[in-house]
Amino acid sequence: MVAPILQTGVFIRSADGGSVLLLHRDKDTADPHHGKYLSLGGHVEPGEDVLTCARREVFEESGLVVTDLVLRGTVLWSGFGVPAEDVLCFMFRADAYAGEHHGGNEEGTLEWVPLDELDARPMWESDHLWLPMIFDEEPPFHGVMPYAGYEMVSWTFSR
């Protein structure tokens, strides 16, 4: 068995709680995520814990310093992409931050998206299954989402 790739995803809520900062992957047309809205975050580096990774990735991708991270859940994407990879993502919500975001990076443009407009934004269709749990006040969720390339096969989770 091969260990999954470890990643973090961070959803930063605006000060009024009505919006979330997302990265619109609009720069590289060869990117499998091109056109989609994603959380900030990325790969856990060797010797790094997931909380440190989440803070580092947010700062690198936005210039913001998150001061309040809450683990909202995990998702294991198995068989994702070409070639197929298994990715275990630790999902955080940040309800407080310091600084002003810099607008984006080589992958895309940062955008505050109202929570009530998330369904209308281009995302992986499967994201809509777990995304509401990032913002609720229920216990953290832990899900498994097998893929065949770039198509979701199924979704199960527990809380």
Side-chain angles (χ1 to χ4, degrees):
M1 177 169 180
V2 177
I5 297 165
L6 300 180
Q7 290 185 343
T8 60
V10 181
F11 296 85
I12 303 170
R13 267 203 293 207
S14 60
D16 67 4
S19 298
V20 60
L21 187 63
L22 297 177
L23 183 64
H24 184 202
R25 298 283 285 262
D26 58 0
K27 302 278 174 89
D28 179 3
T29 58
D31 179 358
H33 303 288
H34 183 261
K36 294 177 173 49
Y37 285 78
L38 303 174
S39 68
L40 282 69
H43 290 73
V44 177
E45 294 180 353
E48 184 177 51
D49 65 79
V50 296
L51 195 57
T52 300
C53 173
R55 290 180 179 132
R56 175 185 55 75
E57 287 285 350
V58 165
F59 184 75
E60 288 175 4
E61 293 185 355
S62 70
L64 298 176
V65 175
V66 286
T67 57
D68 182 20
L69 283 173
V70 177
L71 179 65
R72 293 302 304 137
T74 60
V75 178
L76 173 62
W77 289 288
S78 58
F80 182 82
V82 177
E85 297 179 317
D86 294 344
V87 178
L88 177 59
C89 190
F90 294 80
M91 303 289 190
F92 293 93
R93 187 182 70 221
D95 293 329
Y97 62 89
E100 295 290 328
H101 75 75
H102 53 56
N105 58 28
E106 70 281 351
E107 293 177 332
T109 306
L110 292 169
E111 184 179 328
W112 287 105
V113 177
L115 290 175
D116 61 2
E117 293 179 17
L118 286 176
D119 286 343
R121 300 301 165 113
M123 297 180 176
W124 291 99
E125 285 186 42
S126 56
D127 289 2
H128 296 289
L129 297 173
W130 52 263
L131 192 55
M133 293 186 277
I134 299 294
F135 302 104
D136 69 21
E137 297 304 323
E138 299 297 319
F141 68 96
H142 303 284
V144 177
M145 187 174 282
Y147 265 75
Y150 295 108
E151 296 294 323
M152 182 186 75
V153 175
S154 65
W155 165 241
T156 58
F157 73 95
S158 60
R159 289 191 122 158

